[in-house]
């Protein structure tokens, strides 16, 4: 699974439903859903324009629930049916009918920013792909997958901030795929346990790495060479996306910089794991996250409040 919505914090994935379907509690429910996941980058951080944050939570909550349908053990045997029902509720919401808190919040966001339904249905198509496909022969095939499973999120992010220029959307596509691929490399062992291999077969073959190496969690030079290559290609995707942060306004720039630096930082951790990648899952520490924040803020020349700067300095040991 691509883990677009992050890795679960605990085995208990349920978030209590709100007591009513009033708009405020529904947005709060969306926020709780999103915060119940670990991410390599903050979602709706304090740097995003305040009036955008709840809408970002609504977008990611829609993805989070669909992610669970496609991947969590609780839905085994009924994944496709749950995704179909989720799409039916999406289409009902676009007709003005919402009976689930995510869709109550989402349709408010959709109406406010005139979001097209196609981005949401593309995402659901990506989740359905995970139910049907377990291997990818080439990176081009993997990129076809991320065009559905990841790239619509970046475009929706831009839409709610008022950016619709095609060149910005192209940068956002690269950023979304880069983030997704970094996560896939990070989660190679976990995906193997689920019966999925996202590393392209042509790459495994080229570097002399077999699925038996994955199964045995082997650490050797061939795995190290493969990891260096995958990291280098994914860094190139992040670099292709880099102009996006420079071209959007301050309402979204730091949020996107956090995503960019968070992805690049996890690639640093993956590179450090190297030939041990199949045996251990790289992750970001609190110090890593502090570095990501500091770099992201410095990129745009923003000034943090003194208390926040003090906390960052403590985390970094300065």
């Amino acid at each position: 699974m691509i883990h677009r919505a992050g890795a679960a914090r605990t085995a208990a994935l349920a978030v209590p439903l709100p007591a009513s379907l009033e708009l405020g509690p529904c947005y709060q429910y969306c926020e709780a859903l999103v915060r119940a996941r670990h991410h390599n980058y903050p979602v709706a951080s304090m740097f995003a324009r305040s009036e955008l944050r709840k809408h970002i939570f609504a977008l990611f909550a829609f993805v989070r629930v669909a992610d669970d349908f496609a991947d969590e053990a609780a839905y085994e045997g009924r994944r496709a049916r749950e995704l179909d029902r989720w799409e039916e509720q999406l289409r009902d919401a676009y007709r003005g009918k919402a009976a689930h808190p995510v869709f109550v919040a989402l349709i408010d966001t959709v109406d406010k920013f005139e979001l097209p339904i196609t981005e949401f249905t593309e995402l659901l198509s990506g989740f359905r792909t995970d139910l049907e496909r377990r291997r990818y022969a080439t990176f081009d095939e993997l990129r076809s997958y991320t065009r559905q499973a990841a790239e619509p999120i970046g475009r929706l992010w831009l839409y709610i901030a008022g950016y619709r220029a095609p060149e910005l959307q192209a940068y956002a596509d690269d950023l979304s795929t880069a983030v997704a691929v970094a996560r896939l490399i990070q989660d190679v062992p976990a995906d193997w346990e689920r019966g999925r291999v996202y590393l392209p077969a042509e790459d495994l073959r080229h570097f002399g790495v077999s699925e038996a190496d994955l199964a045995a969690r082997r650490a050797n030079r061939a795995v190290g060479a493969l990891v260096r290559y995958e990291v280098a290609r994914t860094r190139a995707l992040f670099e292709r996306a880099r102009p996006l942060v420079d071209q959007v306004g301050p309402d979204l720039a730091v949020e996107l910089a956090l995503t960019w630096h968070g992805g690049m930082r996890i690639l640093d951790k993956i590179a450090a794991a190297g030939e041990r990648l199949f045996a251990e899952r790289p992750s970001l520490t609190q110090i890593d996250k502090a570095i990501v924040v500091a770099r992201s803020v410095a990129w745009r020349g923003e000034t943090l409040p003194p208390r926040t700067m003090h906390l960052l300095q403590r985390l970094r040991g300065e």
Side-chain angles (χ1 to χ4, degrees):
M1 188 63 217
I2 199 166
H3 305 292
R4 293 162 294 271
R9 291 181 186 272
T10 68
L13 298 176
V15 173
L17 290 168
S20 75
L21 289 179
E22 294 180 5
L23 192 56
C26 288
Y27 271 118
Q28 291 168 6
Y29 175 75
C30 289
E31 180 175 353
L33 279 177
V34 175
R35 292 196 183 281
R37 291 275 175 165
H38 282 301
H39 299 266
N40 287 329
Y41 56 92
V43 174
S45 75
M46 66 179 182
F47 298 105
R49 198 169 73 217
S50 58
E51 59 265 32
L52 294 183
R53 295 179 74 246
K54 66 178 184 179
H55 301 297
I56 295 172
F57 283 128
L59 297 179
F60 275 80
F62 170 85
V63 177
R64 156 71 199 276
V65 175
D67 189 19
D68 286 351
F69 290 154
D71 211 45
E72 293 302 328
Y75 299 102
E76 189 64 46
R78 56 191 176 102
R79 301 186 189 283
R81 184 167 68 252
E82 294 294 346
L83 285 170
D84 288 344
R85 290 178 58 195
W86 201 237
E87 182 167 352
E88 289 173 10
Q89 291 184 77
L90 172 69
R91 295 186 183 279
D92 284 344
Y94 268 81
R95 299 184 189 104
K97 298 184 296 181
H100 188 284
V102 167
F103 289 105
V104 172
L106 186 66
I107 200 58
D108 181 65
T109 295
V110 164
D111 288 345
K112 183 176 182 62
F113 300 104
E114 299 181 347
L115 301 181
I117 194 173
T118 50
E119 308 296 352
F120 296 102
T121 56
E122 278 289 293
L123 286 167
L124 292 175
S125 294
F127 284 114
R128 290 189 179 96
T129 297
D130 272 317
L131 306 186
E132 302 162 359
R133 188 162 190 172
R134 302 280 174 165
R135 302 292 189 275
Y136 293 85
T138 66
F139 184 75
D140 285 343
E141 287 187 3
L142 185 64
R143 183 71 192 256
S144 294
Y145 166 60
T146 62
R147 285 192 183 99
Q148 290 184 313
E151 293 179 6
I153 298 176
R155 293 194 290 273
L156 288 166
W157 217 343
L158 289 184
Y159 292 159
I160 67 169
Y163 300 104
R164 301 204 175 222
E167 61 272 20
L168 294 183
Q169 292 178 28
Y171 293 138
D173 288 347
D174 284 332
L175 180 60
S176 297
T177 283
V179 168
V181 172
R183 172 70 77 174
L184 293 175
I185 302 170
Q186 180 184 14
D187 284 339
V188 167
D191 284 325
W192 171 260
E193 294 298 323
R194 298 182 182 96
R196 300 185 180 115
V197 178
Y198 291 98
L199 295 176
E202 65 178 359
D203 296 351
L204 295 172
R205 185 169 56 251
H206 179 83
F207 289 100
V209 177
S210 68
E211 291 196 7
D213 294 323
L214 279 166
R217 298 180 179 250
R218 291 196 180 99
N220 55 41
R221 289 184 178 180
V223 173
L226 172 67
V227 170
R228 282 193 299 274
Y229 176 74
E230 300 297 339
V231 167
R233 180 168 56 196
T234 311
R235 285 193 194 282
L237 275 171
F238 275 105
E239 291 296 344
R240 279 172 58 91
R242 185 177 181 126
L244 179 65
V245 182
D246 295 321
Q247 294 183 29
V248 299
D251 54 346
L252 196 59
V254 176
E255 186 84 354
L256 291 174
L258 289 165
T259 303
W260 194 93
H261 280 293
M264 291 290 266
R265 189 67 178 177
I266 197 60
L267 288 177
D268 290 341
K269 307 289 279 194
I270 292 168
E275 64 184 38
R276 304 184 310 281
L277 179 68
F278 296 170
E280 62 185 53
R281 182 184 188 272
S283 61
L284 297 185
T285 65
Q286 289 301 110
I287 293 176
D288 291 317
K289 292 176 181 179
I291 291 171
V292 166
V293 171
R295 288 177 176 174
S296 301
V297 171
W299 188 346
R300 289 290 298 207
E302 302 289 336
T303 301
L304 288 173
R307 182 175 181 274
T308 306
M309 283 299 299
H310 176 66
L311 290 173
L312 286 174
Q313 288 167 357
R314 287 184 60 188
L315 285 169
R316 295 172 69 184
E318 296 177 357

